[in-house]
Amino acid sequence: MKKFLSTLFIGIAAMASAVVSARAEQDFNADDILYVMRQMTVSQQNTDVMGAIRKGAVKVPFSLSSRGDTIVFQYKQNNAWHRFDVRIKEKNVDIMRVVKGKAQVISAKGYSTPIAGTDVCYEDLSLRFLYWTGAKLIDDPDNSRVKGRDCHIVEVANPKPSVGQFAWVRMWVDKENGTAWQIDGYGKDGKLRKRFTITSVQRLDDGRWFFKQMKLEVRDPKDPNRNISINYLDMEDLKK
């Protein structure tokens, strides 16, 4: 799972760079980026990682494991571990709650259920938007830099806006190395609801880059420029 989260939010670099270099700039298709990210979720070895979700004084330990086409999430609450799985299919994902070894698909209403007193929900971690089609590149040079990096701005609409917390999602993907530095989720009212940003990274001896910390900002429904809550996903140091 080390490669799973890191790849999706930072480590899509190798494959994304290959896609970018294989196409002329004018021929670049935004759906290619989503395709690359989807492929990376199903191409990982059996790997595991530990970390924590933080919101104020709340700190929730979690573990992530990649097992073929299934991503296993476990988090600790009230001294007990709870599990849910993301099962990757050809055109979508199933989010499964696992209780006493039995898995049951979470209903669409449950996608936005907060995890253990944080603002991180099942849908956030499933990255369901990667399976939406019809992505487009946004031409906005004045707002295309994140962390000092030139980025492609990729936007994709929810094919079923009534399902889930986001009607559309916008991503800033590094033009040089494919890093997804920022992901914004918008509601049906067109207002920003959540922003995910990479705040720190770590580099392994083999040259790979992985995120060390990710920030999740929850915006005020009445004023999307104002944060009402901030959460962090902290990853343990990866073995070099």
Side-chain angles (χ1 to χ4, degrees):
M1 178 48 59
K2 294 173 183 175
K3 292 182 180 178
F4 172 67
L5 274 184
S6 303
T7 293
L8 287 182
F9 292 106
I10 255 211
I12 62 171
M15 290 185 69
S17 296
V19 171
V20 172
S21 61
R23 293 176 177 265
E25 182 73 17
Q26 63 270 22
D27 295 329
F28 189 77
N29 187 333
D31 277 325
D32 291 337
I33 293 177
L34 299 189
Y35 173 78
V36 167
M37 296 175 79
R38 290 197 300 269
Q39 289 300 107
M40 294 308 293
T41 67
V42 297
S43 63
Q44 307 305 320
Q45 301 295 322
N46 289 354
T47 49
D48 306 275
V49 72
M50 297 293 294
I53 304 171
R54 291 188 293 114
K55 177 186 177 183
V58 175
K59 185 175 181 180
V60 182
F62 69 81
S63 70
L64 306 168
S65 304
S66 177
R67 297 292 180 264
D69 60 357
T70 299
I71 309 302
V72 177
F73 294 79
Q74 297 188 81
Y75 62 90
K76 191 174 184 180
Q77 184 180 26
N78 298 326
N79 295 318
W81 285 91
H82 306 269
R83 171 181 167 181
F84 72 97
D85 295 354
V86 175
R87 294 186 180 175
I88 301 166
K89 303 165 72 173
E90 184 176 354
K91 294 184 178 181
N92 58 25
V93 297
D94 284 336
I95 307 175
M96 317 284 293
R97 185 179 288 110
V98 181
V99 180
K100 295 182 179 180
K102 295 183 178 180
Q104 184 175 6
V105 176
I106 294 175
S107 69
K109 291 182 179 180
Y111 288 172
S112 57
T113 300
I115 294 175
T118 72
D119 295 306
V120 179
C121 66
Y122 297 115
E123 185 175 38
D124 294 336
L125 293 179
S126 75
L127 301 178
R128 199 172 61 90
F129 61 83
L130 294 182
Y131 292 82
W132 300 345
T133 58
K136 60 183 180 181
L137 287 170
I138 303 299
D139 184 15
D140 187 2
D142 292 338
N143 294 293
S144 63
R145 291 179 67 84
V146 177
K147 301 292 184 181
R149 304 289 299 178
D150 288 323
C151 295
H152 291 293
I153 304 176
V154 180
E155 184 175 298
V156 62
N158 186 344
K160 296 181 179 180
S162 61
V163 177
Q165 59 187 329
F166 303 135
W168 49 286
V169 170
R170 183 173 288 183
M171 295 165 280
W172 280 256
V173 182
D174 196 303
K175 288 184 177 181
E176 181 178 348
N177 59 32
T179 298
W181 288 106
Q182 180 173 308
I183 300 173
D184 286 357
Y186 292 81
K188 290 182 288 185
D189 58 3
K191 294 180 179 179
L192 178 63
R193 296 189 61 175
K194 287 183 175 180
R195 170 170 290 169
F196 303 82
T197 52
I198 301 295
T199 58
S200 63
V201 297
Q202 53 184 312
R203 188 175 187 178
L204 304 191
D205 288 343
D206 62 7
R208 290 178 297 157
W209 287 91
F210 299 102
F211 88 85
K212 175 69 174 174
Q213 183 185 82
M214 178 180 294
K215 180 168 68 173
L216 167 60
E217 302 170 49
V218 180
R219 297 302 176 93
D220 186 337
K222 296 181 179 179
D223 181 4
N225 293 315
R226 175 178 175 269
N227 287 332
I228 59 174
S229 179
I230 297 179
N231 301 248
Y232 293 93
L233 277 74
D234 298 317
M235 309 295 289
E236 290 189 355
D237 290 335
L238 304 182
K239 293 181 179 179
K240 298 187 177 184

